[in-house]
Amino acid sequence: MNKFLYALLSIVLLAACTSETVSDARQEAAQPQIYPDYNGVTVPVNIAPLCFGMADEKVLCVDAVITDSHGNDLHCQGEESVDFDIDDWHELLDQNRGDSLRVTVSAKYEDGWHTYLPFSIYVSPDSIDYGICYRLIEPGYEVWSKMGIYERDLSSFDERALIENTQFEGCVNCHSFNRGNPADMSLHIRGAHGATLLRHGNGPFEAYNTKTDQTLGLCVYPYWHPSGRYVAYSTNSTSQLFHSAGHNRVEVFDTASDLQVYDVEKNELLLSPILKQDSVYETFPVFSADGRSLYFCAARALPEKSLALDSIHYNLCRVDFNPETGTFGTRIDTIVAAGTQGKSVSFPRPSYDGRFLCYTLSDYGQFSIWHHEADLWLLDLSTGESKPMAAANSKDTESFHNWSTNSRWMVLSSRRDDGLYTRPYFCHVDAKGVVGKAFMLPQRNPRKFYRERFMSFNVPDFIIAPTEFDGNKASRIINDESRKDFGVRK
Amino acid sequence: MINSISTDDFSQMKDIRTLCTLIFGVAVMLFFGMAYPHHLHYQEQFQLFLFDSDYVWGIVRLPGGVADLLGRFCTQFFLYAWVGAFIIGFLLACIQLFTLRLVNWGRLYGLSFLPSCLLWLFLLDENALLGGVWSVLLTLLASWIYGKLPKGLIRGILLVVAVPVLYWIAGPISIVFFLLQAPTPRLNAKYYGVFVLWVAMLVVAAQYLTVPAGSLWGGIHYHRYPTESATLLWGASLSAFVLAFLARVCRKWVDVPCKLVVTLSSFAVVVMAMGGVAWKNANFKAEKTMQYDFMACHQQWNRIIDAINTEKPNNQIGVTVQNLALAMRGMLPQRMFDYNQNGLLGLLPAVQRDATTPMPTAEAFYQLGMVNVAQRTVFEAQESILDFQKSGRCYKRLAQTNLINGNYEVARKYLTALQKTIFYSEWADQTMALLGDEKAINGHPEYGRLRKMAYKDDFYFSDQATPTMLEDLYNRNKDNSLAYQYMMAAFMLTGDRDSFMKYAPTNR
């Protein structure tokens, strides 16, 4: 139905605008200011059309001609935004793998047409995964309204709800896949029907109670072991406080947190005393690409009842993990000592080829989405050197992120557009760690879409195929009181 | 099913019946306009009707969506209580007229008012949604139209088509349309076939719609509480079927020429009895509370003071609004003990996780210059609306707080949405012009003042304002008369004599 509406809308827009010929245009000496900013971006060959409009809103009509070195062109015109034909777009990109496209934009204002200097879009031969999965939620404080988990096909504009909280009482979060493969999936439900839904090896979903008498609480922040046998979790006693002045709104912090690994096959949590120290907050565990290390963030715990939240600085740490025996090493290495620079690491994500690890760096704490200064940094695991991902970062928040399965693309959460609503961006990272300019998740009419959607894209993560998630079946499992308890290895 | 009333009878009774319907509609209108206006304001503030295709599609794509859309469309007019009262009176009168046309009611004419009266009772609940009323109306309208069709194959085909279509338009209440066909003898085979179709349709829909399966049977948006079953609404719609059925069964006794006095008596008995029940079940205490909230929302400080002088508020919202009005008129420390107090919780109550009680508190936070706290309070209140709708009142305030804080792109989002409304668009247009214009905002009597009053030094706030916070606010800007009054009131309420004396007028 949505497709039909868009088709109808397109016809109306075409009728209103396509008869326009760009004539007597004033040639501008600058490149156009467009929204979203796709000027000079590197895109995967299978990405959906990069529709855009002019950055200012006084434009009456926008016209774009994309040309390539083979003499092909793609032309589109629209009132608010150009909306390229999706088949023509994919054909053009396919013909230009590893090459550049040249985009010439003309815009009609009250005083007539203006034509700008062309800009380039580089088409990487590296493809991107099928899609992304994310939670849509209003960027609020403690109470939630409508929310859900959704998947989006990156080669088109199709979005599908996997499950929404209209189907049960509670909230959904912590969706996680094993390297983007929905055959191994974890989904956490909070509220009256709290549970963790786990699917292993494309089997049926089971609802678990992840709280045990030997752990702090429910298991959160899941990360799958590459073998699919283990899931690393943290347990966090989390609190919130609210800023009374300035642009910051919320401070989310832990008053205690530990790590553990769940053995999916044996239904038991693997605990280690060095990962559950009272004097340390441990959180955000992730397995290395080879599955033999566990990276995580750790900070010295605050004294009880202290609210010196800006003194909590998380370092990036690592401990050995033996997947054969399910045992941990006895020594914790500090990989990035952010605390010594008065900074804090969150959301470590190793690339699947084992070359890099991307993390978020903010001034303090671990809930970086509410930190305007938060940026992404790239750690070269072969040299141990970190550098900011300048081309992907902005003046505002960059927070959660993850790698595509070929480790050449990253999806990242950014609040650069309005300082509050999180949107997914993508950037290319080549084998040498050179980061391309980030570009926004394409939409048919990006300004209208993003301005009118009062939702943040929360925890966007790649998926290699549609999730095959039956929301109605899942909601029946959630609404059923039956839960399987996590065991603990003795 | 629908019998034609004889022309003679109809002409004899037509005028008087029209008058009865009119009287009933006016009575309903007067009730909601005079006795229950703030319930209508309450309804309006928990939805935001947008003239936007995505918004409309989001509603009509679900069963009962068209009725829901019509309900929401009408509810936006509840901003003006008399318009809302007229709409309700009109809808209930229409439902009575369609009920009347189901059968020849004869001496039981008064019972044709029963479904409408039950809907009147239904609407006493501030969380009962007008979409439910539209569902009943559309179902009865469809039944009336269907009854006009000549018998035959086309009529049978239309029945099969009408059942799913009407289900999608009006939701499960439309089962009444199907039930109303029951007494027609020749329809038996088709009748049960249609019932199977109806059930199958719901089972299939349950597989594809992201709603609880139970709501497909009970109604998705008849009541604001998703888990609440709209018993009175179902009672009203089923009563139309049951009464019509009884009238048919007892045709020999009912369908006889009756005198005018019998018609009028049956009307008077039913309407007065049900009107009495409505009056007895009306929640006038809640109405009073809603009135305080309404007056605070519209900053009617003098009216609030008149109201508290007539009757001293004794609930949290009333006391909060009372203290705010006293402060806005510069009388809080002097006169606060002329009225009921509730400690600090009566001054600035702890922020609750519901959609109603935080709103007057948020107004106080806003007027004090605690802009971030007001923003959070309003945002949380809006998120707490149980049927996930948005609020024009909240959007407006969130646009203001973001504008004051300089978050212009976020303010623009709210204003863009408000531009798609009837009653908030003009304000949104005016406010949109301010975005990014620092000079205009700083010179604005409200936004400029609140920018000056707002905290500059950050601290963490949880749920309860403390005297220290008010003291900080006042010390930040000594021109903040409201902060001074609240601070002094807080010292008095907590018995902090030393602090009170420190800031007492003679020592300032």
Side-chain angles (χ1 to χ4, degrees), chain B residues 18-19 28 69 163 213 216 297 363 385 391 419 444 464:
Chain B
T18 305
L19 188 63
V28 171
L69 185 74
V163 166
L216 296 177
C297 172
E363 188 65 41
I385 297 174
S391 156
Q419 282 178 321
H444 192 278
Q464 177 66 63

Side-chain angles (χ1 to χ4, degrees), chain A residues 220-232:
Chain A
V220 294
Y221 300 131
Y223 192 95
W224 287 82
H225 190 268
S227 68
R229 177 173 171 181
Y230 303 102
V231 187

Side-chain angles (χ1 to χ4, degrees), chain B residues 6 19 35 112 131 209 252 260 314 419 433:
Chain B
S6 75
L19 188 63
S112 68
L209 296 173
K252 285 183 183 169
L260 181 63
N314 58 6
Q419 282 178 321

Side-chain angles (χ1 to χ4, degrees), chain B residues 215-380:
Chain B
S215 66
L216 296 177
W217 301 86
I220 293 173
H221 216 220
Y222 294 155
H223 197 275
R224 204 184 314 281
Y225 285 74
T227 51
E228 187 87 9
S229 55
T231 313
L232 278 167
L233 181 73
W234 276 100
S237 51
L238 290 171
S239 70
F241 158 68
V242 172
L243 292 172
F245 186 78
L246 286 176
R248 283 189 149 271
V249 170
C250 309
R251 192 185 318 177
K252 285 183 183 169
W253 182 78
V254 170
D255 193 8
V256 292
C258 59
K259 293 179 181 174
L260 181 63
V261 68
V262 175
T263 301
L264 284 176
S265 299
S266 67
F267 163 70
V269 167
V270 171
V271 172
M272 288 183 73
M274 294 302 291
V277 173
W279 189 265
K280 200 165 168 39
N281 283 280
N283 191 345
F284 293 116
K285 197 174 168 186
E287 173 69 16
K288 194 74 185 169
T289 304
M290 290 170 189
Q291 183 191 8
Y292 281 116
D293 181 42
F294 174 81
M295 291 188 293
C297 172
H298 293 272
Q299 304 182 3
Q300 298 171 343
W301 313 122
N302 292 337
R303 198 180 153 206
I304 294 168
I305 289 170
D306 289 344
I308 61 174
N309 286 333
T310 307
E311 186 184 351
K312 292 174 184 174
N314 58 6
N315 59 56
Q316 184 174 293
I317 288 179
V319 172
T320 305
V321 171
Q322 152 204 294
N323 288 333
L324 177 59
L326 289 172
M328 292 303 289
R329 288 294 170 258
M331 304 187 292
L332 181 63
Q334 295 82 14
R335 293 195 51 196
M336 59 187 285
F337 291 111
D338 293 348
Y339 307 94
N340 297 322
Q341 292 295 335
N342 186 27
L344 279 181
L345 292 177
L347 206 58
L348 290 168
V351 178
Q352 303 292 320
R353 273 71 173 162
D354 69 82
T356 314
T357 57
M359 293 306 291
T361 318
E363 188 65 41
F365 285 139
Y366 179 77
Q367 296 297 343
L368 278 164
M370 298 166 78
V371 177
N372 279 24
V373 182
Q375 180 171 270
R376 175 195 158 214
T377 310
V378 173
F379 191 99
E380 296 286 69

Side-chain angles (χ1 to χ4, degrees), chain A residues 142 166 242-243 249 450 452, chain B residues 210 353 413 420 458 461:
Chain A
E142 292 179 294
T166 50
F242 309 99
H243 291 277
R249 294 189 177 206
Y450 287 113
E452 295 181 2
Chain B
T210 53
R353 273 71 173 162
K413 278 176 82 78
K420 296 179 180 181
D458 190 18
F461 181 89

Side-chain angles (χ1 to χ4, degrees), chain B residues 83-119:
Chain B
V83 181
F86 170 78
I87 290 170
I88 293 174
F90 179 76
L91 292 178
L92 298 197
C94 287
I95 286 170
Q96 185 273 327
L97 284 177
F98 288 124
T99 309
L100 182 66
R101 278 153 180 74
L102 290 175
V103 288
N104 189 355
W105 294 87
R107 62 177 67 173
L108 295 180
Y109 165 72
L111 289 179
S112 68
F113 287 86
L114 193 63
S116 296
C117 288
L118 289 171
L119 289 172

